């Protein structure tokens, strides 16, 4: 069994190593390139479409080892292959032609509907103190589609530095893999196998994508990785304590929180939600003086922290009160950190100012009458 996991990882990693240079040449040939501008940190023309190499490595490795598989959930694999093809095609077309948002969303919706058609849905979950809930199809189906589209776009939003989106997605995939190894459930073998193959594809691609990058993954890669993570989280954690929804949210903490803060920032600044800016997490860290590589490693660390919390909550926390306490502390630290680096606003920092009033005593001079 473990031999299959290792084989899947090695084969997909080798495929990605071999295919990425070919995809790079193809991207230049068709004109799928990324030119520098005021919002971007790279200074030379780069090839996009790297996600095509990730997807082909993933699919190729799966079909190489598929003759040895008997217990795999065929519907899950089919959902990732067919849905992945649609979303990679959508992303690749955007990498070349810069599609309008409506066409990109349409491709994501079709991919998500394929997942639902294959039988993967968020159809039941538990919440602290609230018991078990089963969702009817008219709720679970749109909820599943919304989850997949949302996560796909969240991962796409953080794709702003060399190796950032791929590395964070790799950490998320690794977290799902660890949880599947520690938590027995009916589709554990399928989740572990698909995670090891996906992780191998990401690792092989990162060889070319980590700073200084030789190729960008583009929307084809970011959308596919978000799609794959969303789908795997549905497959692996449909039924668990708070965690039917909380675990995948924690696993994807970096892209989801960055997306949330981006929405809040644009709302406070009265700008359209879809309008791009240069105030995402990685932009803020760069503005604080961190180098490109250090910024990426810091965000890797944050993603790993979220992953560790997900593992702790899922396997080592039986108390609902303790679960709530951990989540509250994590959210508090997240908000304070976001205000400190100015990801929402450089001037509006209500929580930090409240803490300063609470813990910093006024000086003697400030208490003297003027």
């Amino acid at each position: 069994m473990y031999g299959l996991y290792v084989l899947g990882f090695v084969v997909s990693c080798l495929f990605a190593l071999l295919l990425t240079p070919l995809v790079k040449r193809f991207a230049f040939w068709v004109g799928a390139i990324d030119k520098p501008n005021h919002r971007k940190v790279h200074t030379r023309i780069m090839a996009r479409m790297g996600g095509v190499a990730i997807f082909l490595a993933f699919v190729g490795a799966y079909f190489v080892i598929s003759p040895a598989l008997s217990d795999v959930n065929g519907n899950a694999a089919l959902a990732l292959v067919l849905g992945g093809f649609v979303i990679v095609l959508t992303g690749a077309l955007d990498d070349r032609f810069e599609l309008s948002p409506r066409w990109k969303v349409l491709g994501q919706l079709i991919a998500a509907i394929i997942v639902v058609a294959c039988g993967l849905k968020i159809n039941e979950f538990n919440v602290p103190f609230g018991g078990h809930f089963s969702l009817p199809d008219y709720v679970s189906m749109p909820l599943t589609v919304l989850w997949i589209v949302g996560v796909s776009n969240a991962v796409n939003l953080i794709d702003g530095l060399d190796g950032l989106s791929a590395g964070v997605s790799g950490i998320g995939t690794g977290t799902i893999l660890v949880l599947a190894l520690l938590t027995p459930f009916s589709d554990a073998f399928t989740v572990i196998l698909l995670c090891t193959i996906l992780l191998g594809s990401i690792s092989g691609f990162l060889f070319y994508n980590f700073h200084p990058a030789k190729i960008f993954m583009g929307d084809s890669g970011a959308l596919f990785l978000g799609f794959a993570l969303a789908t795997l989280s549905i497959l692996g954690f449909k039924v668990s304590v708070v965690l039917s929804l909380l675990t995948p949210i924690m696993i994807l903490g970096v892209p989801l929180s960055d997306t949330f803060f981006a929405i809040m920032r644009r709302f406070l600044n009265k700008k359209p939600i879809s309008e791009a800016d240069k105030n995402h997490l990685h932009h803020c860290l760069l503005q604080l003086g961190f180098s490109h590589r250090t910024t990426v490693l810091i965000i890797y660390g944050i993603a790993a922290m979220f992953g560790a919390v997900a593992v702790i909550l899922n396997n080592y926390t039986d108390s609902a009160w303790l679960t709530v306490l951990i989540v509250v502390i994590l959210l508090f630290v997240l908000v304070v950190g976001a205000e400190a680096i100015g990801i929402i606003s450089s001037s509006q920092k209500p929580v930090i100012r409240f803490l300063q009033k609470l813990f910093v005593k006024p000086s003697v001079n400030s208490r003297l009458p003027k």
Side-chain angles (χ1 to χ4, degrees):
M1 192 71 70
Y2 288 100
L4 276 176
Y5 302 151
V6 174
L7 179 63
F9 177 87
V10 171
V11 171
S12 62
C13 186
L14 289 175
F15 276 170
L17 287 169
L18 294 172
L19 289 169
T20 302
L22 300 177
V23 171
K24 178 183 176 181
R25 293 182 184 179
F26 177 76
F28 273 116
W29 182 60
V30 300
I33 55 176
D34 199 332
K35 298 179 180 179
N37 62 34
H38 69 282
R39 287 191 57 250
K40 298 174 182 177
V41 298
H42 64 282
T43 57
R44 58 194 176 95
I45 295 176
M46 297 288 294
R48 293 194 283 196
M49 274 195 192
V52 174
I54 298 174
F55 176 70
L56 291 177
F58 174 80
V59 174
Y62 176 77
F63 282 111
V64 165
I65 65 173
S66 60
L69 304 178
S70 57
D71 298 327
V72 72
N73 183 331
N75 285 341
L78 184 65
L80 278 172
V81 172
L82 292 183
F85 172 78
V86 172
I87 209 160
V88 169
L89 178 62
T90 301
L93 290 173
D94 183 64
D95 290 338
R96 173 58 185 88
F97 300 107
E98 296 187 3
L99 302 177
S100 66
R102 68 176 65 181
W103 287 108
K104 290 171 65 175
V105 171
L106 177 61
Q108 295 165 38
L109 287 172
I110 293 172
I113 290 170
I114 289 174
V115 173
V116 173
C118 289
L120 276 65
K121 293 178 291 185
I122 302 172
N123 50 22
E124 50 188 35
F125 61 93
N126 298 296
V127 295
F129 319 112
H132 178 84
F133 290 89
S134 294
L135 300 176
D137 284 346
Y138 64 84
V139 175
S140 67
M141 292 171 70
L143 178 61
T144 302
V145 170
L146 180 64
W147 169 254
I148 293 173
V149 172
V151 172
S152 299
N153 282 284
V155 173
N156 193 30
L157 276 178
I158 66 166
D159 185 28
L161 295 179
D162 297 352
L164 180 56
S165 187
V168 169
S169 298
I171 292 169
T173 304
T175 303
I176 296 175
L177 174 60
V178 170
L179 286 166
L181 287 168
L182 294 176
T183 310
F185 55 94
S186 58
D187 286 321
F189 170 74
T190 300
V191 173
I192 295 169
L193 181 67
L194 294 176
C195 280
T196 53
I197 295 175
L198 183 62
L199 197 56
S201 303
I202 294 171
S203 301
F205 178 74
L206 265 174
F207 179 80
Y208 302 98
N209 185 238
F210 196 71
H211 186 71
K214 300 176 179 65
I215 183 174
F216 293 159
M217 68 164 57
D219 278 20
S220 57
L223 290 177
F224 170 66
L225 290 180
F227 167 81
L229 284 168
T231 302
L232 287 169
S233 66
I234 293 171
L235 179 66
F237 309 104
K238 290 189 291 185
V239 184
S240 48
V241 194
V242 173
L243 311 174
S244 46
L245 290 180
L246 188 56
T247 294
I249 289 174
M250 288 296 174
I251 292 169
L252 298 160
V254 168
L256 291 179
S257 60
D258 194 37
T259 301
F260 173 76
F261 289 135
I263 293 172
M264 290 294 297
R265 180 172 63 248
R266 290 161 192 172
F267 175 77
L268 291 174
N269 293 326
K270 298 180 180 179
K271 294 183 178 180
I273 292 178
S274 59
E275 181 177 314
D277 59 28
K278 207 170 182 179
N279 294 101
H280 290 284
L281 174 59
H282 54 279
H283 292 130
C284 292
L285 291 174
L286 287 172
Q287 291 164 12
L288 289 174
F290 292 106
S291 68
H292 191 128
R293 188 183 293 258
T294 302
T295 296
V296 172
L297 293 176
I298 289 172
I299 299 177
Y300 282 3
I302 297 172
M305 178 196 70
F306 275 110
V309 171
V311 172
I312 291 170
L313 289 178
N314 198 71
N315 290 279
Y316 303 105
T317 305
D318 296 325
S319 168
W321 283 110
L322 182 58
T323 297
V324 172
L325 178 62
I326 291 173
V327 173
V328 169
I329 292 174
L330 182 62
L331 290 175
F332 176 76
V333 171
L334 187 65
V335 170
V336 171
E339 289 191 357
I341 66 174
I343 194 173
I344 301 178
S345 171
S346 58
S347 58
Q348 299 181 37
K349 301 181 179 182
V351 176
I352 289 180
R353 285 175 180 160
F354 171 77
L355 292 175
Q356 289 174 337
K357 291 180 181 179
L358 194 63
F359 294 107
V360 178
K361 296 181 179 180
S363 63
V364 175
N365 292 335
S366 67
R367 293 197 300 266
L368 294 177
K370 296 182 179 179

